[in-house]
Amino acid sequence: MGLWICCLCSRVADPLMLLLVLALGCNPSTAATASPSVPHAKPSYSFGRTFLGLDKCNACIGTSICKKFFKEEIRFDTWLSSHLKLPPSSLLSYSGNYTDDAKSWRLVDITRLTSKYQHDRADKRICTSLLKTKTCSLERALRRTQRFQKWLRAKRLTPDLVQGLPSPLLRCPSQRLLDRIVRRYAEVPDAGSIYMDHLTDRDRLRLLYTLAVNSHPILLQMFPDVEGWPFPRYLGSCGRLVVSASTRPLRDFFGAAPEVAADLALQLLAVLRSMATNDLNYFFYFTHVDAGTFGVFSNGHLFIRDASTLGIIDKEEGSPLTDGQQEYRDIFSCLTVDCQSAFVSCDSIREKHSLVMVCQDLLPKLLTGKFQPPVQERIDAFLQRCARGLGSEHGASEAAAELAEILKPLRSCDSRFAYRYPDCRYSDKY
């Protein structure tokens, strides 16, 4: 009987199927279940709404990329291990993998706008200060505030609606800048208008909450990398997690070879120059820089990794708010910072502001002790003068140009610098 079945199989099956049938005892049904084209069962990953922060929505950043998480098209690096466990929720950032076709994966950064401890503390502050309870519905509490009620009635985001928010982005707001925030807001399906008619109540609360906690994702949306701005690409948000293109922090390159250090220092100067002078006539300045403020892509290109400390002054329109008006305080002013913290005056910001901070905190760690004595002495002398404030004889642009002339001959042209190779072989620009 078995022989007869095998003969029948051989008549109806192609050679490859016949081999499988013979190997499995001439049972076609067994051969079908053993076909390598059938996907293997895999573990089901379980997200806690608390881990993502979805249990806090709409006091959250957004939900535009949640489907990617639940479809396993965004995976934390720990998911590649045999245990398949989610990482600790206490971390501020995570390394992850992202795919659009389930075949090719790319690295991404998954970050919280503040630590979970700070988020929990802010949530408690909302409940205790607004409803006098230890726990509450954050959305219900924030909806009852005077500020949000004004947001609900507003047709357009105006300076008075953001006064007193702690973000440096909103310290000196012009109407042109606020219109750009609304027009580029990527967490809504129909962005593109300066009016807020397309924003639901939920959308308005999420935008206000994000601006109150940390404006980093908003800046990435306002000034996308595809338009030439030095920020990583914003991919979306889920709850209180933000997903963006992956970069290595500048601190990882403090021990780099001299030619790499020179290249990164030159890129750093170029970024500061573009932040001060650009086609849109916005002046960007840092309120703080550290080893994690800047990052480097795998092709060697340097970007601003953390935009949370960036302020913007509109050189075209200026700011309609005086410093006195900015002293307004409410619960949104105090979610992540001390309510007593003093705001930086718009009038106190100078062009050299960011360069001096970089000279004090970053360039010495990148350039000290890397080069031969004559060149190293010139670099050290410049950094010391720059860290003291440059003096009155030179402006920031002249000082940056002076350091750039020292550094340009020190960088090399090879495949390690993929962002400019092989162009550097054929261009005097490099």
Side-chain angles (χ1 to χ4, degrees):
M1 186 63 158
L3 179 61
W4 180 81
I5 294 175
C6 282
C7 291
L8 179 62
C9 290
S10 66
R11 292 180 182 177
V12 298
D14 60 23
L16 287 177
M17 180 59 76
L18 179 59
L19 289 174
L20 283 171
V21 170
L22 290 172
L24 294 164
C26 299
N27 188 336
S29 62
T30 307
T33 56
S35 171
S37 63
V38 177
H40 294 289
K42 55 186 176 182
S44 176
Y45 302 109
S46 177
F47 276 107
R49 290 172 58 82
T50 302
F51 180 87
L52 293 171
L54 282 172
D55 59 325
K56 307 295 186 180
C57 282
N58 292 304
C60 63
I61 310 164
T63 56
S64 61
I65 210 166
C66 287
K67 287 184 179 179
K68 285 280 187 182
F69 279 104
F70 290 112
K71 290 168 64 178
E72 300 170 27
E73 293 176 347
I74 296 177
R75 297 187 176 189
F76 295 90
D77 274 354
T78 52
W79 281 13
L80 304 180
S81 70
S82 59
H83 299 293
L84 298 170
K85 292 181 179 179
L86 288 174
S89 61
S90 58
L91 299 180
L92 189 60
S93 63
Y94 312 87
S95 179
N97 299 273
Y98 176 102
T99 185
D100 288 317
D101 55 15
K103 296 177 182 178
S104 57
W105 294 81
R106 51 186 167 148
L107 291 175
V108 293
D109 289 332
I110 305 169
T111 56
R112 301 182 188 277
L113 297 191
T114 68
S115 69
K116 190 172 185 304
Y117 168 77
Q118 289 176 302
H119 268 311
D120 292 343
R121 187 178 177 187
D123 294 344
K124 185 177 180 181
R125 183 180 294 143
I126 292 171
C127 292
T128 55
S129 63
L130 297 180
L131 298 181
K132 311 302 180 185
T133 60
K134 291 184 178 180
T135 60
C136 68
S137 166
L138 300 177
E139 180 174 357
R140 189 179 301 117
L142 294 176
R143 277 176 171 273
R144 293 171 59 177
T145 61
Q146 181 180 2
R147 186 192 293 267
F148 186 68
Q149 289 301 311
K150 289 177 65 177
W151 273 62
L152 287 179
R153 296 189 297 269
K155 293 290 185 181
R156 194 173 182 182
L157 186 59
T158 52
D160 63 295
L161 295 177
V162 299
Q163 64 175 312
L165 294 183
S167 169
L169 168 65
L170 303 171
R171 179 57 190 159
C172 314
S174 67
Q175 188 59 59
R176 186 170 70 112
L177 183 69
L178 297 178
D179 286 344
R180 190 175 183 88
I181 291 176
V182 175
R183 194 170 62 247
R184 296 298 184 93
Y185 186 43
E187 287 296 314
V188 295
D190 184 25
S193 172
I194 63 173
Y195 297 101
M196 296 198 292
D197 297 335
H198 62 290
L199 300 184
T200 65
D201 294 1
R202 174 199 64 194
D203 298 328
R204 294 179 188 230
L205 180 56
R206 290 178 181 177
L207 177 57
L208 173 55
Y209 180 84
T210 307
L211 289 171
V213 173
N214 187 324
S215 59
H216 169 77
I218 303 299
L219 274 157
L220 269 55
Q221 296 165 47
M222 293 171 65
F223 304 101
D225 66 311
V226 294
E227 295 179 3
W229 297 96
F231 300 105
R233 180 166 301 180
Y234 176 80
L235 298 173
S237 300
C238 184
R240 290 180 170 180
L241 292 179
V242 178
V243 183
S244 59
S246 177
T247 59
R248 289 177 59 191
L250 187 62
R251 68 171 66 89
D252 290 356
F253 297 85
F254 286 161
E259 61 272 19
V260 175
D263 182 81
L264 292 175
L266 279 166
Q267 288 191 72
L268 192 50
L269 295 175
V271 166
L272 295 182
R273 184 166 60 250
S274 69
M275 294 286 93
T277 305
N278 52 75
D279 293 341
L280 293 184
N281 220 12
Y282 288 123
F283 171 62
F284 296 73
Y285 65 93
F286 287 98
T287 57
H288 171 77
V289 296
D290 58 36
T293 301
F294 297 91
V296 183
F297 282 122
S298 58
N299 65 357
H301 206 173
L302 181 138
F303 276 63
I304 297 173
R305 190 170 190 257
D306 179 4
S308 63
T309 62
L310 266 180
I312 300 180
I313 295 175
D314 190 338
K315 295 192 289 186
E316 190 172 300
E317 286 190 3
S319 172
L321 292 182
T322 66
D323 290 331
Q325 287 175 299
Q326 284 284 27
E327 299 308 318
Y328 171 85
R329 294 286 201 279
D330 67 354
I331 188 63
F332 290 99
S333 310
C334 314
L335 292 183
T336 57
V337 297
D338 183 356
C339 281
Q340 305 305 315
S341 299
F343 285 131
V344 177
S345 170
C346 300
D347 296 334
S348 66
I349 306 300
R350 299 290 179 267
E351 185 183 350
K352 64 183 181 181
H353 183 88
S354 296
L355 178 61
V356 171
M357 284 197 294
V358 166
C359 287
Q360 291 173 340
D361 299 319
L362 297 182
L363 288 178
K365 298 173 184 175
L366 196 61
L367 299 174
T368 299
K370 293 288 177 68
F371 308 100
Q372 295 301 315
V375 174
Q376 188 67 59
E377 290 169 1
R378 292 179 63 195
I379 293 174
D380 293 344
F382 172 86
L383 293 179
Q384 290 174 11
R385 190 173 81 251
C386 177
R388 291 195 298 267
L390 295 173
S392 57
E393 70 276 8
H394 291 299
S397 58
E398 292 85 355
E402 178 186 342
L403 181 57
E405 287 305 311
I406 301 174
L407 295 173
K408 282 179 181 178
L410 303 176
R411 62 179 179 175
S412 62
C413 179
D414 58 63
S415 57
R416 288 176 298 171
F417 310 101
Y419 80 96
R420 59 180 174 89
Y421 181 84
D423 294 353
C424 54
R425 289 190 178 278
Y426 311 105
S427 174
D428 293 337
K429 176 183 176 182
Y430 299 104

